[in-house]
Short mmCIF file of all heavy atoms in Angstrom, two decimals:
data_model
loop_
_atom_site.label_atom_id
_atom_site.label_comp_id
_atom_site.label_asym_id
_atom_site.label_seq_id
_atom_site.Cartn_x
_atom_site.Cartn_y
_atom_site.Cartn_z
N GLN A 1219 -3.39 8.06 -0.48
CA GLN A 1219 -2.08 8.62 -0.82
C GLN A 1219 -1.02 8.16 0.15
O GLN A 1219 0.05 7.70 -0.23
CB GLN A 1219 -2.13 10.15 -0.79
CG GLN A 1219 -2.76 10.77 -2.00
CD GLN A 1219 -2.71 12.29 -1.93
OE1 GLN A 1219 -2.51 12.84 -0.85
NE2 GLN A 1219 -2.86 12.95 -3.05
N VAL A 1220 -1.33 8.31 1.43
CA VAL A 1220 -0.35 7.96 2.47
C VAL A 1220 -0.02 6.48 2.40
O VAL A 1220 1.15 6.08 2.46
CB VAL A 1220 -0.91 8.31 3.87
CG1 VAL A 1220 -0.07 7.68 4.96
CG2 VAL A 1220 -0.96 9.82 4.04
N LEU A 1221 -1.02 5.66 2.26
CA LEU A 1221 -0.78 4.21 2.24
C LEU A 1221 -0.18 3.78 0.92
O LEU A 1221 0.67 2.89 0.87
CB LEU A 1221 -2.07 3.45 2.52
CG LEU A 1221 -2.72 3.74 3.87
CD1 LEU A 1221 -3.94 2.87 4.08
CD2 LEU A 1221 -1.73 3.54 5.01
N GLY A 1222 -0.61 4.43 -0.15
CA GLY A 1222 -0.06 4.09 -1.46
C GLY A 1222 1.41 4.44 -1.54
O GLY A 1222 2.19 3.77 -2.21
N ALA A 1223 1.79 5.50 -0.82
CA ALA A 1223 3.16 5.96 -0.89
C ALA A 1223 4.05 5.25 0.11
O ALA A 1223 5.26 5.40 0.07
CB ALA A 1223 3.21 7.47 -0.63
N ALA A 1224 3.42 4.47 1.01
CA ALA A 1224 4.21 3.87 2.08
C ALA A 1224 5.29 2.90 1.61
O ALA A 1224 6.43 3.00 2.03
CB ALA A 1224 3.29 3.20 3.10
N PRO A 1225 4.98 1.96 0.70
CA PRO A 1225 6.03 1.02 0.32
C PRO A 1225 7.12 1.70 -0.48
O PRO A 1225 6.83 2.39 -1.46
CB PRO A 1225 5.30 -0.02 -0.54
CG PRO A 1225 3.84 0.22 -0.34
CD PRO A 1225 3.72 1.67 0.02
N GLY A 1226 8.33 1.54 -0.07
CA GLY A 1226 9.48 2.09 -0.79
C GLY A 1226 9.39 3.59 -0.98
O GLY A 1226 9.74 4.12 -2.02
N SER A 1227 8.91 4.29 0.03
CA SER A 1227 8.71 5.73 -0.11
C SER A 1227 10.00 6.51 0.10
O SER A 1227 10.00 7.72 0.13
CB SER A 1227 7.65 6.20 0.88
OG SER A 1227 8.05 5.87 2.19
N GLY A 1228 11.10 5.81 0.27
CA GLY A 1228 12.37 6.49 0.39
C GLY A 1228 12.65 7.01 1.78
O GLY A 1228 13.55 7.81 1.98
N THR A 1229 11.89 6.57 2.76
CA THR A 1229 12.17 6.96 4.13
C THR A 1229 13.30 6.10 4.67
O THR A 1229 13.80 5.21 3.99
CB THR A 1229 10.94 6.75 5.03
OG1 THR A 1229 10.60 5.37 5.04
CG2 THR A 1229 9.76 7.55 4.54
N ALA A 1230 13.67 6.34 5.88
CA ALA A 1230 14.77 5.59 6.49
C ALA A 1230 14.33 4.17 6.85
O ALA A 1230 15.15 3.33 7.19
CB ALA A 1230 15.25 6.30 7.74
N THR A 1231 13.03 3.91 6.74
CA THR A 1231 12.52 2.59 7.10
C THR A 1231 13.02 1.54 6.11
O THR A 1231 12.86 1.72 4.91
CB THR A 1231 10.99 2.59 7.06
OG1 THR A 1231 10.53 3.71 7.82
CG2 THR A 1231 10.44 1.32 7.65
N PRO A 1232 13.62 0.50 6.59
CA PRO A 1232 14.08 -0.54 5.67
C PRO A 1232 12.91 -1.24 5.02
O PRO A 1232 11.84 -1.35 5.61
CB PRO A 1232 14.86 -1.50 6.58
CG PRO A 1232 14.35 -1.24 7.95
CD PRO A 1232 13.90 0.18 7.98
N PRO A 1233 13.07 -1.66 3.76
CA PRO A 1233 11.97 -2.36 3.10
C PRO A 1233 11.67 -3.67 3.81
O PRO A 1233 12.57 -4.27 4.39
CB PRO A 1233 12.51 -2.61 1.69
CG PRO A 1233 13.98 -2.48 1.79
CD PRO A 1233 14.26 -1.55 2.94
N PRO A 1234 10.42 -4.10 3.77
CA PRO A 1234 10.07 -5.34 4.47
C PRO A 1234 10.64 -6.53 3.71
O PRO A 1234 10.86 -6.44 2.51
CB PRO A 1234 8.55 -5.35 4.41
CG PRO A 1234 8.22 -4.56 3.18
CD PRO A 1234 9.29 -3.51 3.07
#
Side-chain angles (χ1 to χ4, degrees):
Chain A
Q1219 281 184 342
V1220 167
L1221 299 184
S1227 58
T1229 62
T1231 310

